[in-house]
Amino acid sequence: MKAPKDQDPLTLALKPAPDETAAERSAREARERDAKRVNDHIDAEIEQEKKRLRYDKTVKVLLIGQSESGKSTTLKQFQLIFASKRLWPQHMVAFR
C-alpha cells in the first residue's frame, strides 16, 4: 500500500519551508540548478565511459601446456586473426 504523496519522505525533504523568503527561494533554486548541472555532467561522463567500455572488447587468454606444444604458434595465430586493423601492418612485418 502506497503512502499518500504528501507523506513521501523525499517530497517532504525537498518541499520548501512555508515561511521561505524570496531571497531564500532564489538561493535554494540556484543550489538546485547547480546540483542539476553537476548531476548532468556526471551522467554524461558515465554514459561516455559505458560507450568506451562497450567498444573495448579486450580478452585475455591464458595458454598453458607442455613445452613445444604450440602455445606460441597459437598466440601468433590469435594475434594475426584478431588484431585490430590499425596495427595490422606492424603485426604482419613482425610475424614474417
Side-chain angles (χ1 to χ4, degrees), residues 42-77:
I42 292 171
D43 287 345
E45 286 181 351
I46 290 171
E47 193 61 35
Q48 287 176 349
E49 183 70 13
K50 283 182 183 178
K51 286 180 182 177
R52 187 188 67 77
L53 290 175
R54 197 173 305 138
Y55 294 113
D56 185 19
K57 302 279 182 169
T58 302
V59 177
K60 294 184 179 183
V61 177
L62 175 63
L63 295 175
I64 57 174
Q66 297 178 350
S67 63
E68 310 261 341
S69 64
K71 296 181 296 288
S72 296
T73 304
T74 304
L75 177 63
K76 288 180 183 179
Q77 288 298 318

Side-chain angles (χ1 to χ4, degrees), residues 18-59:
D19 58 345
E20 181 178 56
T21 65
E24 291 171 339
R25 178 180 179 186
S26 175
R28 178 180 52 83
E29 289 174 346
R31 286 192 310 270
E32 288 175 358
R33 278 192 303 274
D34 188 44
K36 173 85 170 112
R37 183 185 54 77
V38 169
N39 185 55
D40 290 344
H41 180 72
I42 292 171
D43 287 345
E45 286 181 351
I46 290 171
E47 193 61 35
Q48 287 176 349
E49 183 70 13
K50 283 182 183 178
K51 286 180 182 177
R52 187 188 67 77
L53 290 175
R54 197 173 305 138
Y55 294 113
D56 185 19
K57 302 279 182 169
T58 302
V59 177

